[in-house]
Amino acid sequence: MKLTRLSLLPLLAFTASNTWQSFAIDKRFTVQLPSKATALVVGQLLPAGQAPAHTQTWIARASEGLCVIMRVPTAKAQVIKKDDTAQRRLFYDNVVKGALAEEKQAHLLKRTSFQTAGYSGIEIKYTASDARTGHQRVRYMRSLVLDSVGYNLIFRPADLSDSLGLVDHAQRHQFFDSLTIKP
């Protein structure tokens, strides 16, 4: 999941609207977005061999930041059942480790759990060094695994001055809380 290191700055030029629209990632996972989703071909943005296999990524611009969606099949199509707490914990621990390892000077600020349709997921808030300025920036990620597919919702605030995540972003809440799954 090298997307966190990608330079998404050219994509910030897209305008966001006030009308949120439904976006189906696949038959099981839907989310609301503030603007039309743009698919990224991660393999074309990273050096050869660094892009995760079969990962799909979309972005949408919001006035308060950038919404990123990632659909990542689990390794070897491993099925992680919703009641297998040990496997889910291991999966989410690896998501956090991966997110922090891919960023410069990353620090986990907060990790919480959430429930949706009987599935448990995690939400993290962390800081990382901004590629343009070198200053610490806050990032948010919500991760949910459904059987053999992991989904990550990432919100990257546009406000560069809030390095600790003290500003509450209504659009982040709307984006994260809009996720709908069909078990």
Side-chain angles (χ1 to χ4, degrees), residues 117-179:
Y119 287 84
S120 62
I122 63 162
E123 185 171 322
I124 63 172
K125 176 169 77 167
Y126 63 101
T127 60
S129 180
D130 183 71
R132 288 181 301 135
T133 66
H135 293 92
Q136 288 293 102
R137 284 191 66 185
V138 69
R139 293 166 180 22
Y140 302 88
M141 180 177 13
R142 188 170 263 203
S143 184
L144 180 68
V145 63
L146 300 177
D147 301 326
S148 62
V149 179
Y151 301 89
N152 294 325
L153 302 181
I154 302 164
F155 186 79
R156 298 178 67 150
D159 182 359
L160 299 179
S161 65
D162 183 23
S163 62
L164 295 176
L166 301 176
V167 175
D168 195 23
H169 302 278
Q171 290 178 334
R172 175 182 62 88
H173 290 290
Q174 187 170 354
F175 175 47
F176 282 5
D177 294 343
S178 73
L179 77 87

Side-chain angles (χ1 to χ4, degrees), residues 23-39:
F23 179 70
I25 286 75
D26 55 28
K27 292 179 181 179
R28 296 185 68 192
F29 193 96
T30 304
V31 68
Q32 297 287 313
L33 295 173
S35 61
K36 185 178 181 203
T38 302

Side-chain angles (χ1 to χ4, degrees), residues 19-116:
T19 305
W20 287 63
Q21 50 199 278
S22 183
F23 179 70
I25 286 75
D26 55 28
K27 292 179 181 179
R28 296 185 68 192
F29 193 96
T30 304
V31 68
Q32 297 287 313
L33 295 173
S35 61
K36 185 178 181 203
T38 302
L40 292 181
V41 182
V42 178
Q44 293 176 347
L45 301 171
L46 294 172
Q50 286 191 7
H54 309 292
T55 296
Q56 295 173 285
T57 305
W58 300 268
I59 61 164
R61 174 78 171 99
S63 60
E64 295 178 358
L66 190 67
C67 301
V68 181
I69 305 162
M70 297 179 73
R71 183 185 187 277
V72 185
T74 58
K76 300 177 186 170
Q78 175 189 10
V79 174
I80 300 174
K81 297 180 180 178
K82 75 176 181 179
D83 58 349
D84 189 340
T85 55
Q87 282 294 82
R88 294 183 87 71
R89 183 174 40 255
L90 179 61
F91 177 85
Y92 293 133
D93 287 348
N94 286 329
V95 166
V96 173
K97 286 178 191 173
L100 297 177
E102 292 168 3
E103 299 275 6
K104 288 185 179 180
Q105 301 173 357
H107 303 284
L108 182 65
L109 298 175
K110 186 175 183 181
R111 175 179 171 164
T112 58
S113 298
F114 71 94
Q115 294 282 324
T116 184

